[in-house]
Amino acid sequence: MKLHNTLSRKVEPFKTIKAGQTKLYTCGPTVYDDQTIGNLRTYVLYDTLSRALRAGGYTVDHVMNITDVGHLTSDADAGEDKLEKGAKRAGKTVWEVADHYITLFNGDLKKLNVIKPRIARATDFIDAQIVMVKILMDKGFGYQTEQAIYFDITKFPTYGELTGQNLSDKEVGARSEVITDKTKRNPQDFALWFFAVGRFAGHEMKWPSPWGEGFPGWHLECSAIIHETLGDPIDIHAGAVDLIGTHHTNEMAQTEAAYGNKLANYWVHGEHLLVDEKRMAKSLGNFYTLQDVMKKGYDPLALRLLYLQAHYRHQLNFTWEALDGAQAFLNRLRDWADLRFQPNLGHKKTAAAAYEEVLDKIKQSLANDLNTGQALVALSELANLSEQYGVDVNKLGALLPKVDELLGLDLAKRQAIDQPLKELIEEREQARRAKDWPKADELRARLGREGIELDDTPHGPVWSKKS
Ligand code: AMP
Ligand code: ZN
């Protein structure tokens, strides 16, 4: 398997720490609002990565966090906590807001066929985060002001390694941000722990700590959760590209400074979903949710297919026309899976090998830095062959569950009728072609008793289930 590693900016051969096992950590949602279909692109990427790893013969221990505290409206420690803001807007408690959006998030993942990772909620790891702050303070990486405890980035010489920027480049960026704490030593220092004072005096979520009541900074949760659940270093850390410069850079610094361990060997970053060439974001108001997509009559799996058509390291501009295309593609694959193409009548052109080859082609494409577009081309080519020369019912039946494991398109599920019935359909079609009318009629009647209706079309029989 080969993966692009943000650390080296190269596609590298993938090697795990322990043979055959992958420790994968991905940054999850902040649960203060609906997920946009931009966010969802990233979760489908995580899912594709974990499916590709499994297909490559690795076991995958995948942990994803849920941020329910400490994520401010600005990455530079300015602004409000997103959860507290969401709660005010909804007139609910922060905990109610978090629970509500976690439920919706789980529903979205299910509809998109995302295999659920182990979920770690930030507020369930407060103790672990406090332990980390303590270690960082003891080792001299942290300092305290009236408002917060900060990580002093000048104490960590490799700070910024992930972006390839040196400190002075970063400084220019950080200077343009609003500095809310004048006693911060360096503009890029980031909060490990906020005190429930000043703008945060009314904070609903707060915990006692050795330094005073407050709540953790956003970046800390990922470092602490990784340390507790998977153990650092991990094999792969993933997220969307917007996390590289601050969130992931800070996660790396914290873990390495506290525990002396590299955080992750590989960093996988997904590009954004755009609208009108701009990032789809809640803050920009240019977003759609999965509900919006479904209300317009699209299948959630058409959205999954749209994501898979693009390479994860390329931006993808969302349009309804593109989604139409993906839906049409999905429908075509479903027609194939439903055996709505003509059965194989002994033509040798869809040689058995084509079915086996396609599985290898999909696996190889995924193993090549998740080339999902190429995997779909291979699948589509086999569907074309099947339409032209007939479907090998048995081979297709055996293939589809394996394709589903790799791509999560639920094609096998579409085969809602049992294999013996499919074989009867094929047998009846052969009788019809041979003009053996009594046999064809008898088989049609038998199928009818099983609830299957047949329509003969120029392209072969199309079946439907009697409701
Ligand atoms: P948030 O809920 O804003 O913290 O974002 C959750 C995840 O979605 C993070 O990994 C973000 O980097 C990612 N994300 C945000 N916007 C987009 C987008 N337009 N396309 C892809 N991923 C995104
Ligand atoms: Zn994170």
Side-chain angles (χ1 to χ4, degrees), residues 27-30 32 35-36 38-39 41-43 46 71 82 218 239-240 242-243 271-273 279-282:
C27 291
T30 305
Y32 67 109
Q35 292 298 300
T36 72
N39 301 138
R41 181 184 186 195
T42 298
Y43 307 122
Y46 300 162
H71 193 171
K82 290 186 179 186
W218 170 42
D242 54 289
L243 301 181
E271 259 298 350
H272 285 147
L273 188 74
R279 169 176 164 196
M280 181 181 286
K282 271 164 266 185

Side-chain angles (χ1 to χ4, degrees), residues 25-28 65 67 218-219 221-223 226 237-238 243 247-248 251 267:
Y25 181 85
T26 59
C27 291
N65 69 314
T67 301
W218 170 42
H219 317 297
E221 69 187 60
C222 292
S223 294
I226 289 171
H237 193 316
L243 301 181
H247 182 58
H248 287 167
E251 278 184 37
W267 288 83

Side-chain angles (χ1 to χ4, degrees), residues 44 73 75 107 146 173 184 199-200 215 223 269 295 314 345 373 415:
V44 171
T73 47
D75 274 357
E146 265 176 30
K184 242 167 117 167
R199 67 193 157 128
F200 300 131
F215 60 96
S223 294
H269 287 105
K295 269 192 220 130
H314 293 166
L345 302 170
Q415 295 198 306

Side-chain angles (χ1 to χ4, degrees), residues 87-119:
K88 263 185 235 149
R89 186 188 61 208
K92 291 184 178 164
T93 69
V94 185
W95 299 97
E96 284 166 344
V97 166
D99 286 343
H100 173 72
Y101 288 110
I102 288 173
T103 305
L104 292 184
F105 173 65
N106 286 333
D108 284 357
L109 293 193
K110 196 152 186 261
K111 290 188 194 86
L112 287 166
N113 256 345
V114 169
I115 300 168
K116 214 170 151 194
R118 282 208 274 157
I119 296 289

Side-chain angles (χ1 to χ4, degrees), residues 193-211:
W193 188 263
F194 289 107
F195 297 119
V197 296
R199 67 193 157 128
F200 300 131
H203 228 250
E204 221 184 301
M205 280 191 179
K206 54 187 171 189
W207 294 264
S209 83
W211 315 275

Side-chain angles (χ1 to χ4, degrees), residues 117-320:
R118 282 208 274 157
I119 296 289
R121 219 172 137 156
T123 50
D124 289 336
F125 288 82
I126 297 296
D127 290 348
Q129 294 181 74
I130 291 174
V131 166
M132 246 187 118
V133 179
K134 193 163 183 317
I135 296 171
L136 289 169
M137 287 295 266
D138 290 349
K139 289 193 170 178
F141 290 100
Y143 64 93
Q144 184 170 351
T145 74
E146 265 176 30
Q147 294 187 29
I149 293 181
Y150 294 102
F151 185 99
D152 183 338
I153 56 134
T154 60
K155 299 272 160 62
F156 189 73
T158 57
Y159 186 82
E161 197 186 352
L162 197 58
T163 54
Q165 284 181 327
N166 58 31
L167 259 183
S168 52
D169 290 342
K170 273 220 68 150
E171 215 164 330
V172 176
R175 274 207 203 102
S176 62
E177 303 266 5
V178 188
I179 308 292
T180 38
D181 188 346
K182 302 274 188 290
T183 53
K184 242 167 117 167
R185 288 183 194 160
N186 314 290
Q188 316 92 306
D189 289 352
F190 57 92
L192 299 167
W193 188 263
F194 289 107
F195 297 119
V197 296
R199 67 193 157 128
F200 300 131
H203 228 250
E204 221 184 301
M205 280 191 179
K206 54 187 171 189
W207 294 264
S209 83
W211 315 275
E213 212 176 32
F215 60 96
W218 170 42
H219 317 297
L220 191 62
E221 69 187 60
C222 292
S223 294
I225 290 170
I226 289 171
H227 188 73
E228 289 288 303
T229 59
L230 293 166
D232 25 65
I234 55 170
D235 295 292
I236 310 176
H237 193 316
V241 285
D242 54 289
L243 301 181
I244 300 173
T246 305
H247 182 58
H248 287 167
T249 292
N250 294 350
E251 278 184 37
M252 268 174 86
Q254 290 164 162
T255 297
E256 240 179 277
Y259 298 116
N261 286 336
K262 195 173 172 182
L263 181 53
N265 287 336
Y266 296 81
W267 288 83
V268 170
H269 287 105
E271 259 298 350
H272 285 147
L273 188 74
L274 312 183
V275 186
D276 299 327
E277 310 297 333
K278 281 197 218 68
R279 169 176 164 196
M280 181 181 286
K282 271 164 266 185
S283 55
L284 297 176
N286 61 349
F287 65 89
Y288 301 110
T289 63
L290 189 57
Q291 291 308 314
D292 295 332
V293 164
M294 288 167 63
K295 269 192 220 130
K296 284 193 173 242
Y298 297 93
D299 195 300
L301 293 182
L303 184 64
R304 182 177 176 109
L305 195 55
L306 179 71
Y307 297 145
L308 296 181
Q309 284 177 311
H311 192 258
Y312 77 94
R313 284 194 285 118
H314 293 166
Q315 294 180 332
L316 170 61
N317 193 43
F318 178 81
T319 61
W320 293 105

